[in-house]
Amino acid sequence: MTSRPGEASGNRPARLRRDLTVPPWIFVVPALVVYTAVVLYPSLAGVVYAFTDWSGVGGFSFVGLDNFRTLLDDNRALESVGNTLTLTLAVVLVQNGIGLLLALGVQANIRSRSLLRVIFFAPAVVSPVMVAFLWKYIYNPDNGAGLNGVLGAVGLGGLRQDWLGNPSLALWSVAAMVVWQYAGYSMVVFLAGLQGVPAELHEAARIDGAGAWQRFRHVTWPLLAPALTINLMLSTIGGLKLFDQVYAATNGGPGTSSETLSTVLYKEAFVYGKFGYSTAVALVLALFVAAVSLVQLRYLRAREVTA
């Protein structure tokens, strides 16, 4: 069956437009190229270098599992694992505890709650290096400066310390600065969760005679499970790979008292030129973070269902 001339000429522009339509996947190609060059290739190359003696320049040779055996015999690296876990545990518990208290406080019907939210969240958007230098001044060991000056002014001069120079205090001092910076971030996540708690449930519980603590425990807390999952995951991952604040504030010192796995792999690569060994440390750290995150996620997701 032949079409009439008018129909053929009318359909041709529409068919031509369909032929000239750009496939949607074309728009993904530039981002995919950049992602491959910046993320995928360096990551895969790092896995390969972990089994070599590469010094950062020139050639290399494969050494098998020697880098990982060295890691197991490296007392500094093993101590950094303990420091990393201790720092992470302190940050996760204190940061989320303070974040939850702040969220409950600024959710109250007070006139300054919007301003308080901004003030508490503001440190989270500041560069971690800037925060570290700010807290280095606060931790100034001089008796008349920073925190020591405040303690002396209020009659607590006996509590003055060399906060970053004391091996028994340096790690906890770093943990305090991290908590100060990110407690507001946890607050915002908890606030989002609190906004999803129906007011009708609180009203029903109040009518039934439940007090403030009982309403929080049996109504608010179970419904905060998704927000708690997000906060615990983010703070755990952030604590395990913490680098900026530690390096800027203590450089892992004094001695190795505040050394973390991230600072160890940095120094092995850029100070000692052992790029092969440092990538082995980085690979172990990445696998460890992934394993902890997966276990934590499965547990927290199960809690969300039962809450």
Side-chain angles (χ1 to χ4, degrees):
M1 179 179 178
T2 59
S3 59
R4 285 176 290 181
E7 293 178 348
S9 59
N11 290 336
R12 189 177 299 112
R15 188 180 302 112
L16 182 60
R17 286 195 298 270
R18 287 197 298 269
D19 293 339
L20 295 178
T21 300
V22 178
W25 59 265
I26 290 293
F27 297 99
V28 182
V29 172
L32 186 59
V33 170
V34 174
Y35 182 77
T36 301
V38 175
V39 178
L40 289 183
Y41 174 75
S43 300
L44 295 176
V47 174
V48 174
Y49 289 139
F51 298 92
T52 71
D53 59 357
W54 189 46
S55 63
V57 292
F60 58 84
S61 58
F62 286 92
V63 295
L65 299 176
D66 286 355
N67 288 328
F68 299 95
R69 296 191 187 99
T70 302
L71 176 60
L72 294 177
D73 294 332
D74 189 345
N75 291 330
R76 185 167 64 96
L78 295 179
E79 183 180 358
S80 73
V81 173
N83 292 340
T84 301
L85 294 177
T86 301
L87 184 61
T88 300
L89 183 62
V91 168
V92 168
L93 294 179
V94 181
Q95 175 183 314
N96 288 289
I98 294 177
L100 179 59
L101 293 176
L102 292 176
L104 293 172
V106 299
Q107 193 198 25
N109 191 19
I110 55 178
R111 300 179 66 178
S112 60
R113 60 180 180 177
S114 297
L115 176 62
L116 290 174
R117 292 178 184 181
V118 174
I119 293 174
F120 291 141
F121 180 72
V125 300
V126 179
S127 165
V129 175
M130 291 183 62
V131 170
F133 282 111
L134 169 65
W135 277 81
K136 283 187 73 173
Y137 173 77
I138 294 175
Y139 288 140
N140 193 314
D142 293 341
N143 290 335
L147 180 57
N148 284 340
V150 174
L151 291 175
V154 298
L156 298 175
L159 298 179
R160 290 180 294 201
Q161 301 285 340
D162 185 0
W163 302 99
L164 297 177
N166 188 334
S168 62
L169 294 176
L171 191 67
W172 303 109
S173 299
V174 173
M177 102 175 46
V178 175
V179 169
W180 176 84
Q181 181 172 15
Y182 293 113
Y185 190 94
S186 297
M187 175 200 71
V188 171
V189 177
F190 280 126
L191 271 175
L194 289 172
Q195 299 300 322
V197 178
E200 295 82 3
L201 295 180
H202 280 287
E203 186 63 29
R206 187 180 294 108
I207 293 174
D208 290 339
W213 167 249
Q214 291 175 317
R215 292 198 303 272
F216 172 77
R217 179 181 178 185
H218 298 290
V219 178
T220 304
W221 181 246
L223 295 178
L224 278 180
L228 181 64
T229 297
I230 295 172
N231 269 332
L232 289 180
M233 291 291 297
L234 291 177
S235 56
T236 299
I237 294 173
L240 290 174
K241 63 184 185 68
L242 194 65
F243 171 77
D244 303 62
Q245 294 92 332
V246 177
Y247 188 79
T250 67
N251 195 23
T256 57
S257 59
S258 62
E259 201 85 83
T260 64
L261 272 174
S262 295
T263 59
V264 167
L265 71 89
Y266 173 84
K267 290 178 181 178
E268 292 294 338
F270 297 102
V271 176
Y272 304 115
K274 300 178 181 179
F275 279 81
Y277 177 58
S278 69
T279 52
V281 177
L283 179 59
V284 170
L285 176 60
L287 293 176
F288 182 67
V289 171
V292 171
S293 301
L294 288 175
V295 171
Q296 188 181 45
L297 182 62
R298 291 192 62 179
Y299 171 76
L300 293 173
R301 287 296 188 188
R303 179 188 176 278
E304 289 181 24
V305 175
T306 58

